[in-house]
Amino acid sequence: MTAIDATQSVKLAKQMSLSFKHKLLLFVTAIVTLVTPIAAASFGAANISFEQVVSLFANLALGTGETDSLTQRIVFELRFPRIILAFVAGAGLALAGSVLQTVTRNPLADPYLFGISSGASFGAVLVLSFFGSQGLVLQWLAESSGHLANAILRSGLFSNDAWWSWSSISLPIGAFIGSSLSVLLVLGLSGFGRASQVERMLLSGVATSFMFGALTSLVLYFSSPQAAASVLFWSLGSFAKASWAGLVIPSVVVVCSILIILAFKRQVLAIQAGDETAHSLGVNVAKIRLAMLILCSLITATLVASCGGIGFVGLMIPHTVRLLYPGQQPIMMTALVGGIFMVWIDVLARCLLGNQELPVGIITAAIGSVFFLFVLRHRR
């Protein structure tokens, strides 16, 4: 055997070993994805063991045995919608972060650092503070003595039931408008079409994030104490209000976004190699980059409207997956790992303190800030 044949044999053996490792990781991730919802459903204020949850699923699947109605209600009406929303939120935020890092060629890109989350939070907080069940518009109507104000109040348009029925539409719309404004500001400040656009994007995103954060604080300052307390906890991220009806919009948006990103994966990966290389391959860089930014703003806005602001997930998960799959961009793996991560972060938020629940955003910010410093040190 010649030296060239020996080298080729070694390379082939390494490729086969790497392929086996990737398949093993995918298999383990799939198993963890299936086990995670059942295991996470056994954590909470009510004492329900893992064996009880497994028995509940087995009895319902096979139609045998009797199930405790209270246990069934806690698992399927309270915990499972929350687990699914956490999984969808983690998958969507991780996917948005991965796409942002690819199209901007910046490993520190994240929906929060790009100002998308701040813009979405500002739009959603405006809707909550002005048109919520305890918002400023309702207070103004209550203090007004006009016939129109009294007629609106008597109509029940701003009652709690009416508010929750149309908030599922108004909140995502408000959040999407805010995130779209953020994207337009970032593109305008970074100079759309300039050679230095990629380098200026992150700084523009940070500036935009601070601006929308200040505007959000201003709105909260003028809100009623009850509305401000509610919005403050919501803006820090929580899955406490998860319901089966509220899962429809975020689930559809995230699934459709995954399909769109898979359809344009070749163009997105071409941008990562450089704008000139992508142009030589026939990719319209400006159009694809703008489309992906709008798609990421839609994902972020929908999730912010559903569960509040949760930061650093889009930064941590793509880096972690790239460590497991060097030189690759596995979209589905990124989504699965992000979903699993968020489910267990929510379990930690529910169980870390005995009699109260921590906002999820506080935990992800604490972990993400350390991870951010680690990435900066590694890049230096």
Side-chain angles (χ1 to χ4, degrees):
M1 180 182 294
T2 62
I4 297 177
D5 293 336
T7 303
Q8 291 178 347
S9 299
V10 172
K11 288 183 179 179
L12 182 60
K14 288 183 178 179
Q15 290 177 356
M16 292 178 62
S17 176
L18 193 61
S19 177
F20 175 76
K21 177 184 175 182
H22 289 169
K23 290 180 180 178
L24 181 62
L25 284 173
L26 182 60
F27 176 75
V28 171
T29 305
I31 295 298
V32 173
T33 303
L34 294 175
V35 174
T36 288
I38 301 175
S42 62
F43 291 91
N47 188 16
I48 300 175
S49 65
F50 178 76
E51 290 78 11
Q52 286 179 291
V53 178
V54 173
S55 176
L56 178 63
F57 273 91
N59 292 335
L60 291 176
L62 300 176
T64 60
E66 296 182 358
T67 58
D68 184 6
S69 59
L70 180 59
T71 302
Q72 181 176 342
R73 184 175 180 181
I74 291 173
V75 171
F76 285 104
E77 295 185 15
L78 298 179
R79 295 185 182 178
F80 237 69
R82 181 172 184 148
I83 291 170
I84 296 176
L85 180 59
F87 187 89
V88 170
L93 291 174
L95 196 66
S98 178
V99 171
L100 285 175
Q101 292 170 15
T102 302
V103 298
T104 62
R105 302 197 305 277
N106 193 320
L108 301 179
D110 173 82
Y112 255 70
L113 297 178
F114 259 63
I116 298 177
S117 292
S118 298
S121 296
F122 174 67
V125 166
L126 274 180
V127 174
L128 285 171
S129 298
F130 282 89
F131 301 102
S133 58
Q134 296 175 331
L136 296 177
V137 173
L138 183 62
Q139 291 182 14
W140 176 80
L141 289 173
E143 294 172 357
S144 301
S145 57
H147 296 291
L148 178 61
N150 293 329
I152 293 175
L153 287 175
R154 286 196 301 269
S155 68
L157 180 63
F158 289 92
S159 64
N160 288 329
D161 293 337
W163 159 246
W164 287 115
S165 64
W166 71 276
S167 65
S168 59
I169 300 175
S170 60
L171 276 179
I173 292 176
F176 180 67
I177 293 173
S179 63
S180 299
L181 288 175
S182 175
V183 169
L184 291 176
L185 279 174
V186 169
L187 291 175
L189 291 172
S190 61
F192 189 69
R194 296 182 185 177
S196 61
Q197 180 191 7
V198 173
E199 289 75 13
R200 292 160 59 100
M201 265 189 179
L202 186 59
L203 292 177
S204 302
V206 171
T208 304
S209 179
F210 278 113
M211 183 190 72
F212 278 112
L215 291 175
T216 301
S217 300
L218 182 64
V219 173
L220 290 177
Y221 178 78
F222 286 105
S223 300
S224 64
Q226 296 85 358
S230 175
V231 169
L232 181 61
F233 183 81
W234 170 85
S235 64
L236 294 175
S238 173
F239 303 109
K241 295 186 181 298
S243 64
W244 288 111
L247 288 174
V248 176
I249 294 179
S251 300
V252 170
V253 169
V254 171
V255 171
C256 292
S257 300
I258 292 175
L259 296 177
I260 293 172
I261 293 169
L262 287 173
F264 290 93
K265 184 178 179 180
R266 185 186 68 85
Q267 292 90 330
V268 172
L269 292 180
I271 295 177
Q272 189 179 28
D275 289 5
E276 294 182 359
T277 303
H279 279 300
S280 65
L281 295 174
V283 178
N284 191 329
V285 176
K287 185 179 293 186
I288 292 295
R289 181 174 288 145
L290 179 60
M292 290 298 111
L293 285 173
I294 293 175
L295 184 63
C296 290
S297 70
L298 176 62
I299 296 172
T300 307
T302 305
L303 296 177
V304 166
S306 301
C307 50
I310 302 173
F312 290 100
V313 177
L315 175 68
M316 293 185 287
I317 302 303
H319 278 283
T320 304
V321 173
R322 279 194 286 269
L323 288 176
L324 300 175
Y325 289 83
Q328 300 185 32
Q329 295 287 343
I331 294 175
M332 293 305 300
M333 179 63 73
T334 302
L336 290 177
V337 174
I340 294 170
F341 172 79
M342 187 57 69
V343 169
W344 289 110
I345 289 295
D346 181 50
V347 170
L348 184 62
R350 285 186 281 136
C351 302
L352 196 60
L353 299 180
N355 299 321
Q356 59 183 342
E357 177 182 325
L358 277 176
V360 177
I362 292 179
I363 300 177
T364 58
I367 301 174
S369 58
V370 177
F371 189 90
F372 187 83
L373 294 175
F374 172 78
V375 173
L376 283 178
R377 177 179 175 84
H378 180 70
R379 282 181 57 82
R380 187 186 65 179

